[in-house]
Amino acid sequence: MANDPNRITSPSRTDQVGLGIPHLRTGEAITLISWRRTKQGWAFDVRAGHYVAHNTTHWLLQIGTDRVVLPISEWSLFSS
C-alpha cells in the first residue's frame, strides 16, 4: 500500500514555517502537540511516546504497547 503509514521510508520533511525537523532516532522519546480552537479560546493536546518514523503525512509513535499514527498536518514536534 502506497499510503500505509506503517511503511514509512522517508525520514525528512519541512514543516509549515519552513524549518526542518531535527534528526530523530528510532526509539527516542518525543512529545507531539496539537492545537485546537474552542469556545473559550485555544486548547492543546499532547502525545508522548517513542519515535518510530514519519513521512510527509504521518507520525508513527510507539505509546506503550500500541503503535499510533498521527497526521503531521495536525501534530507538531514539541520536544525530543
Side-chain angles (χ1 to χ4, degrees):
M1 292 180 176
N3 292 328
D4 182 0
N6 294 311
R7 298 180 58 84
I8 295 173
T9 58
S10 175
S12 62
R13 81 161 184 98
T14 302
D15 64 20
Q16 299 88 333
V17 294
L19 302 174
I21 293 176
H23 175 71
L24 297 171
R25 294 181 315 271
T26 300
E28 182 176 349
I30 67 169
T31 304
L32 300 178
I33 188 167
S34 177
W35 290 91
R36 58 187 159 77
R37 195 100 158 118
T38 68
K39 290 181 181 180
Q40 294 78 27
W42 287 95
F44 64 91
D45 297 308
V46 295
R47 294 279 179 100
H50 292 93
Y51 175 78
V52 176
H54 75 279
N55 63 16
T56 57
T57 59
H58 292 91
W59 292 101
L60 182 58
L61 294 182
Q62 185 77 35
I63 301 177
T65 59
D66 297 324
R67 286 229 168 152
V68 178
V69 177
L70 299 169
I72 265 185
S73 61
E74 298 174 22
W75 293 87
S76 298
L77 183 63
F78 184 67
S79 67
S80 62

